[in-house]
Each structure stands twice: as structure tokens, then as C-alpha cells.
Amino acid sequence: QVQLVESGGGLVQAGGSLRLSCAASGLTFSMHTVGWFRQAPGKEREFVAAITWSEGRQYYSDSRKGGFTISRDNAKNTVYLQMNNLKPEDTAVYYCAVKVAGLGGGLNIGSSYTYWGRGTQVTVSS
């Protein structure tokens, strides 16, 4: 059974930083693309970042390019999202998800991902 567990969310002031973690059981992250998405109250879920399985290439949404960094630790089977210079508009529930290797779909599209965590809340105060 595949489980993804996010952690690291919390309350931070604008300009601050957080590092989110996503730990997996039941699958090996290095064999799949892993993405981070977020959903703010009253808004649709949106893509934040992804890291591919084959070469570890990183992709980011245009809105947050430069402020966030996605990385993975294969030994720990964990993917991270380092978020710097946070803004109030970054407030959302952040989810990690797995896009299974070999399946189609864009990596910035939520429906392309098979497995999802329950999310971790990030709140940025002004």
C-alpha cells in the first residue's frame, strides 16, 4: 500500500522560510516523478513544483520560480520543498503526489498523478 506523508508546514511570517517533506512508503520515489501542489481556500488546486524520476530535473510554476526549490533524498525516500521568501498568497494546503513512471499526462496537471498525501497546512502572515 502506497502512503505519502507530508510534514513541515506551519505558521510563518512573510519573508520567512519553511521546508516541507514528503516521505513515501510502498514505492520508491527515485523511480517516479514527484510533484507538489497546493490549494488555497476557495481556489483550485495548483501546481507548484515537480522533480522527475530519471534525471532529477526540476520544474516549477511560473508564479513561484526562484522562491521554491524541490529536491529529493533517495536514501531516505523523501522529497523536499524548500520555500523561501514566503508571501501571504502562499498560504494553502500543500500536497505531494506521485506521477507513476510510464503513465502519460503533463507533470503540472494534477490528474496525471496517481498517489497523493493528505497535505500539510502552510500559513503565511503579513
Side-chain angles (χ1 to χ4, degrees):
Q1 184 178 359
V2 175
Q3 278 194 320
L4 306 179
V5 179
E6 303 95 337
S7 61
L11 174 64
V12 64
Q13 288 188 333
S17 299
L18 285 174
R19 188 177 79 157
L20 305 184
S21 300
C22 176
S25 60
L27 57 76
T28 302
F29 267 157
S30 61
M31 297 178 66
H32 306 282
T33 292
V34 180
W36 284 96
F37 290 77
R38 68 185 183 185
Q39 188 166 20
K43 295 187 177 181
E44 293 187 352
R45 181 178 61 194
E46 65 172 343
F47 170 75
V48 176
I51 186 165
T52 63
W53 68 273
S54 56
E55 300 175 348
R57 291 185 177 180
Q58 303 160 24
Y59 297 87
Y60 300 93
S61 67
D62 290 339
S63 63
R64 242 12 201 112
K65 193 177 296 183
F68 292 179
T69 303
I70 188 171
S71 62
R72 70 181 185 209
D73 184 329
N74 291 338
K76 295 182 178 179
N77 208 28
T78 299
V79 170
Y80 303 97
L81 183 68
Q82 177 67 43
M83 306 187 295
N84 298 326
N85 191 27
L86 283 161
K87 305 172 183 179
E89 51 265 39
D90 293 318
T91 295
V93 178
Y94 284 71
Y95 301 90
C96 70
V98 170
K99 182 178 182 299
V100 175
L103 298 184
L107 52 76
N108 63 335
I109 300 173
S111 59
S112 301
Y113 290 74
T114 303
Y115 302 107
W116 291 81
R118 292 190 172 185
T120 185
Q121 176 71 46
V122 171
T123 303
V124 184
S125 63
S126 57

